[in-house]
Structure formats: C-alpha cells, structure tokens
Amino acid sequence: MLPVRCLFWLNHSTAANVSGPGGKRRQAPCPLLCLTLLLSSEMNGAVAMEATRRRTQPSTNGKTSEQSEQAAQWGRAWEVDWFSLIGVVGLLCFAPFIVFYFVMACDQYECSVSQPLFELYQGETTLLSIWARAPSFTWTAAKIYAIWVAFQVFLYMCVPDFTHKFIPGYVGGVQDGARTPAGLINKYEINGLQCWLITHALWFANAHYFHWFSPTIIFDNWIPLMWCANILGYAVSTFAFIKAYFFPTNSEDCKFTGNIFYNYMMGIEFNPRIGKWFDFKLFFNGRPGIVAWTLINLSYMAKQQELYGQVTNSMILVNVLQAIYVLDFFWNEAWYLKTIDICHDHFGWYLGWGDCVWLPYLYTLQGLYLVYHPVQLSNAHALAVLLLGLVGYYIFRSTNHQKDLFRRTEGACSIWGRKPTYIECSYRSTDGSIHRSKLLTSGFWGVARHFNYTGDLMGSLAYCAACGFGHILPYFYIVYMTILLVHRCVRDEHRCSSKYGKDWKRYTDTVPCRLIPGVF
C-alpha cells in the first residue's frame, strides 16, 4: 500500500528477479492481509493448477490450448477461495480502524498500544468514549487535503519533467513501461523527483520566509486529515471499480473473478487511466503519499522543536534515513515502471486506499512517536543506527543496481569483477507472443533470490531502533515489513513459477535461499 513503502522491482524483458522500492511497499495494506493472501495464494495456486489441467486437455482435434494456459497464469488470481473472501471483506471494513488505533494510541495514550486494550478489558473506558475523544473530520483539514492533492495533480499533469536535462544520471521525462499481459507498452511522464523538489522547496520557503502556514500544520491536523485521506482512498477505489465495468482503459488487461469484493479490493483494470497521461497506479503509488512522507516527518520535527525547544538526534536520524529512501524512490522512478506494482498488480482498494492512508499514516509512526517521546540517543547508539541504515541501503541499492545493469546491457557487463551468470527462460503473453528473459544468478542475486529485501529489512529496523526501546509501537514497522516481504517472496515466486515453469525450478535450484543465506 509503497511505496508503495512500496517498490518491488520486476523486470519482464531481461531480468525477472523480483525485488523491493526504490522498490516500495505500498502494496499490502496490513499484516493480516499479507497473511490472508499468503495462505490463499497456496489455495489459489492449487486452483490455478487444476484449472490449467482442465485448460490443457486435448481438444477434439487433438491439440491443446497452450495459449489459454499461459494467459491465465499471468498476474493475480482468476478464482477466489472462501478464506480469501473472508479476509478481504474483513479488511475492507476494519483496515481504517487499524490505522486509527495506532494514531489514537499516540494521541490519547502516549503511544501505548496495550493501555487502550487493558482499559477496555477492565471496563475503565469504552469504544464509544475512545471514539468521542478523537478529533473528527473538519472542513479546515478537508481544505488542506484538497489543496495538497490538487497541487500534486497539477505538478504531475501540467509540469513536464525538466530535471533530467541538467541532473547527470537521472532518467526522467517520457518513458516506456513494461509489457502488460495483453502485450501493450504504456508511456509514462516521469517527473516524481521534480515534484518532490518543487514541493519541498516551497515548504522550506514558507517555513523561513513566507509563513503562509505553520510547519506543524500536518501534525496539528493529523487525525482530521486521516478522515480526508480515507475518503479519497475509498472514492478513488470505487471510481476505478466502476470504471473497469463501464469504460476500461484497455478491456484486454481487465480481470474479473466473479466476486465483487475481491474485484474491488485487488482491482480489475491493470492500468486505469484518464486521458492519455493520468495513470492511477503511478500517481497514487508515488504521489501524494510518498511525496508527503518526508513532509510529514518535517512537520513532526517542527512540532518537537515547538514543544521541547530542541530536535533530538533520534528525530534527525529518522528524517535522514527515511528521506534517503524516498529520494531513492524518485531517483529511480523510471525503474519503478518495471516493478511488481506496475507489472502485476491491478489497481483497486489494495493500492488506492493503501497509498492514501496506510502508507502515510503507518510508515511515519517513528516520527510521530518521537513527538510524544523525544528520545536522545547516546553517540554509540546513534552511530549504530546510522550504520545499520546505511549498510541496509547499500545492500538494497547495490542489489537493484546489479539487476538493472544486467537488464540494460542484456548480460554484457561485469558484476563483482566477473561476467554474470544467468538462466534463460521464456513466457507467453495473452496475445500469444513468446518473450524471453534472463534470470540473474551472479552478485547479490546469487547470494539469495530477494537479497534486496534483506537490505530493506535492515533499513526498516534502523528506523525503529532510532526510537530506543521504551515502547513497542515504533517497532510495528519492522514487524509489518517482515510479514510483508516474506509474503512478497512467496507470492512473487508463485507467479514466477506459473509464468516460467521448469525454468523457474532451474533458477531456484541454482539460488536456493530467499532472504538469508543458509537460513531462509
């Protein structure tokens, strides 16, 4: 739902290893969803294999429908089991209250996640009293949020990228996306870094010169803004759902399971668009959530300064490490077009609501916690957190760079001073065309199949460790990311196994570990 933190790289042309953001994790709204989908993917895998057996039975003329078999296996499930349906309906109803619980715990219980439950159990409070104490929707927050989203739409649609013309090494402007299941290649206007720079330049100009609004405006309206974000998340998901039935961008890239709840949550359209350039996936995955991530942290920092007269080193660490991650995403936004979000996920509530609500509210819990608990770390602790975050980022970025280098050169490159090794494979798209890929088995990709996830988890742990060890709430993020990325490993490998068949088995035999060499 990242981001997505959301970025899970999947290249379909020359390097089909799956990795994460600059790969971000916007993509799963909550750990329960990950567990639900993790278990249901096993069930759906069995259903898909049975469906494949039925589809590949010889016809009356003695031929098999190989093309139907291949087409049915690319992307998310075509059929839904009851376990997945129960989880989907539960999340659609209760996921907003999961987010509310964590934010409310900070607002009313000094970030204690157990105290509200204890008081409810003891009868000292009620759900209605907790709800009554929480700030409600306000028109002030609605105006702030509407201006914010409108401004990001304006930057996305009306300001073509010019930063790639003077920033060496940055890839922006009009770029081709990956091939869709129907065989189409969409074009995208890549201007996320430019949007981020313009937005933050205006933020700092306001804070130091114009003073149009307080730098603490986000924190001061945090819960009312949450209701606005929920409205947008459900509105855009509902619009995309209706659009898929009545005026899809490309009907050949739509998937209907026959279950209205699953279709709503996981999406029907592959790349819904309005006009030629407004792409729902790219906009909501990158803006407004990820652009806002660093602004939210800056607002937390300003609030800490306002309340205590200083900014702690832990708050600085959280801001710096997460800013590196966000900038990495926008620097590599063109590469994001090759990620699992763009290449496999359909656009539904899973991405729409997750990017609007889950990402900005739960990925920023560390900064929110530090407003209420201003932790000043020892020099040794701060240095250890910084090193953990930087080493994790190095592994994450180097792993993704190796794959990108391999993809761009089609294997004619050097990785760790040697010619890269790889496994050749092939797959068929729904138009019947056969495409070939190469699965990299050198460098970090020879250490583990998702070693970039390992670096990602190290960075996630660094964010949490910056908050000390006084409360469990800041550590929600590493727990969530572990569940999410393990689920990603299993889900992506189910997809790749279905897509590449025996070639994928050869790959897993060559690189046996997923995340941690010799362990998992």
Side-chain angles (χ1 to χ4, degrees):
M1 318 236 240
L2 214 298
V4 270
R5 185 153 172 193
C6 324
L7 311 179
F8 305 91
W9 306 110
L10 176 61
N11 181 278
H12 291 287
S13 57
T14 55
N17 304 82
V18 180
S19 58
K24 220 131 215 140
R25 5 177 187 270
R26 334 190 173 283
Q27 291 41 43
C30 78
L32 176 59
L33 173 59
C34 294
L35 293 174
T36 299
L37 296 179
L38 178 59
L39 295 174
S40 66
S41 64
E42 303 285 348
M43 302 178 188
N44 286 334
V47 171
M49 292 191 66
E50 177 59 30
T52 296
R53 285 194 289 270
R54 292 197 300 267
R55 281 190 282 267
T56 55
Q57 293 297 320
S59 62
T60 54
N61 62 8
K63 297 181 180 180
T64 62
S65 55
E66 179 185 1
Q67 180 173 335
S68 298
E69 170 192 359
Q70 295 292 340
Q73 292 180 349
W74 187 340
R76 65 159 175 78
W78 286 86
E79 303 176 48
V80 185
D81 58 86
W82 281 101
F83 181 80
S84 295
L85 178 59
I86 293 171
V88 163
V89 173
L91 285 166
L92 288 173
C93 295
F94 297 110
F97 297 100
I98 295 173
V99 176
F100 170 76
Y101 182 84
F102 282 99
V103 177
M104 176 277 301
C106 283
D107 183 57
Q108 299 183 25
Y109 292 92
E110 295 294 316
C111 297
S112 172
V113 295
S114 59
Q115 188 64 26
L117 298 176
F118 180 77
E119 289 190 6
L120 286 169
Y121 177 77
Q122 295 292 329
E124 297 175 10
T125 191
T126 64
L127 291 175
L128 288 178
S129 64
I130 290 175
W131 182 264
R133 292 195 299 268
S136 60
F137 171 90
T138 67
W139 287 109
T140 298
K143 182 172 67 174
I144 294 170
Y145 196 73
I147 292 173
W148 165 250
V149 174
F151 181 61
Q152 292 306 310
V153 171
F154 170 77
L155 292 179
Y156 175 64
M157 292 293 294
C158 303
V159 188
D161 185 78
F162 56 83
T163 54
H164 69 280
K165 296 180 179 180
F166 62 85
I167 299 180
Y170 172 64
V171 178
V174 178
Q175 301 292 327
D176 288 339
R179 188 181 304 276
T180 73
L184 301 177
I185 296 179
N186 293 310
K187 290 188 178 295
Y188 297 83
E189 174 67 38
I190 299 300
N191 63 354
L193 180 63
Q194 175 177 282
C195 293
W196 188 92
L197 290 171
I198 292 173
T199 300
H200 285 71
L202 289 175
W203 176 274
F204 282 107
N206 169 77
H208 294 285
Y209 300 105
F210 300 125
H211 307 293
W212 293 324
F213 54 84
S214 169
T216 66
I217 188 173
I218 298 175
F219 177 88
D220 295 337
N221 294 276
W222 194 223
I223 294 181
L225 286 170
M226 181 178 67
W227 304 128
C228 299
N230 271 280
I231 292 171
L232 177 62
Y234 274 94
V236 72
S237 302
T238 302
F239 176 80
F241 178 75
I242 295 172
K243 179 181 181 297
Y245 280 95
F246 295 101
F247 48 100
T249 302
N250 179 24
S251 58
E252 294 182 4
D253 274 328
C254 292
K255 271 192 177 182
F256 297 89
T257 64
N259 186 287
I260 188 172
F261 297 107
Y262 192 87
N263 286 345
Y264 181 78
M265 180 172 183
M266 301 306 295
I268 298 171
E269 278 202 82
F270 195 71
N271 290 112
R273 290 189 168 199
I274 295 177
K276 182 179 179 180
W277 294 106
F278 188 85
D279 185 88
F280 279 65
K281 272 190 190 176
L282 186 62
F283 178 78
F284 283 99
N285 278 329
R287 283 89 73 181
I290 298 181
V291 173
W293 189 343
T294 40
L295 290 183
I296 293 166
N297 282 340
L298 288 172
S299 185
Y300 291 156
M301 180 184 288
K303 193 65 180 182
Q304 194 183 71
Q305 175 69 39
E306 177 185 289
L307 292 174
Y308 309 107
Q310 64 173 349
V311 176
T312 62
N313 58 3
S314 56
M315 180 68 84
I316 294 172
L317 278 171
V318 168
N319 271 262
V320 169
L321 292 176
Q322 293 187 349
I324 290 173
Y325 183 87
V326 169
L327 282 170
D328 178 87
F329 169 72
F330 286 119
W331 182 268
N332 295 284
E333 190 177 21
W335 191 19
Y336 178 62
L337 301 180
K338 314 298 182 180
T339 68
I340 200 76
D341 293 352
I342 302 296
C343 297
H344 268 288
D345 287 339
H346 292 238
F347 186 87
W349 180 90
Y350 179 67
L351 291 179
W353 181 87
D355 290 329
C356 289
V357 182
W358 187 270
L359 186 155
Y361 276 84
L362 295 189
Y363 289 9
T364 61
L365 280 177
Q366 291 77 33
L368 181 62
Y369 170 83
L370 291 172
V371 173
Y372 293 92
H373 299 273
V375 177
Q376 182 68 24
L377 303 174
S378 67
N379 291 337
H381 188 162
L383 181 60
V385 168
L386 180 62
L387 289 177
L388 177 64
L390 293 179
V391 170
Y393 174 75
Y394 171 78
I395 293 174
F396 166 77
R397 175 46 47 213
S398 297
T399 306
N400 286 330
H401 173 71
Q402 288 177 358
K403 184 177 64 176
D404 184 50
L405 176 65
F406 178 77
R407 175 182 61 84
R408 287 187 287 105
T409 63
E410 297 188 359
C413 60
S414 175
I415 295 178
W416 287 358
R418 299 178 182 178
K419 184 178 180 180
T421 58
Y422 56 87
I423 291 176
E424 294 193 27
C425 59
S426 62
Y427 64 93
R428 187 189 300 271
S429 57
T430 55
D431 63 358
S433 301
I434 294 178
H435 308 278
R436 301 191 180 279
S437 294
K438 298 175 183 177
L439 302 177
L440 179 62
T441 59
S442 290
F444 283 120
W445 296 100
V447 176
R449 300 196 293 271
H450 307 275
F451 204 60
N452 54 336
Y453 286 178
T454 305
D456 215 357
L457 289 173
M458 292 172 66
S460 301
L461 180 59
Y463 306 162
C464 303
C467 298
F469 306 102
H471 282 263
I472 194 174
L473 181 138
Y475 288 85
F476 164 82
Y477 190 68
I478 184 60
V479 173
Y480 161 73
M481 286 306 302
T482 301
I483 295 173
L484 173 63
L485 294 183
V486 169
H487 160 257
R488 278 280 180 173
C489 289
V490 175
R491 191 189 78 166
D492 295 347
E493 293 192 6
H494 269 293
R495 288 174 168 173
C496 289
S497 178
S498 296
K499 184 176 178 180
Y500 297 114
K502 61 183 180 180
D503 293 330
W504 184 255
K505 179 64 166 59
R506 291 167 51 213
Y507 172 64
T508 57
D509 288 342
T510 303
V511 186
C513 294
R514 287 185 170 114
L515 285 174
I516 305 174
V519 178
F520 174 72

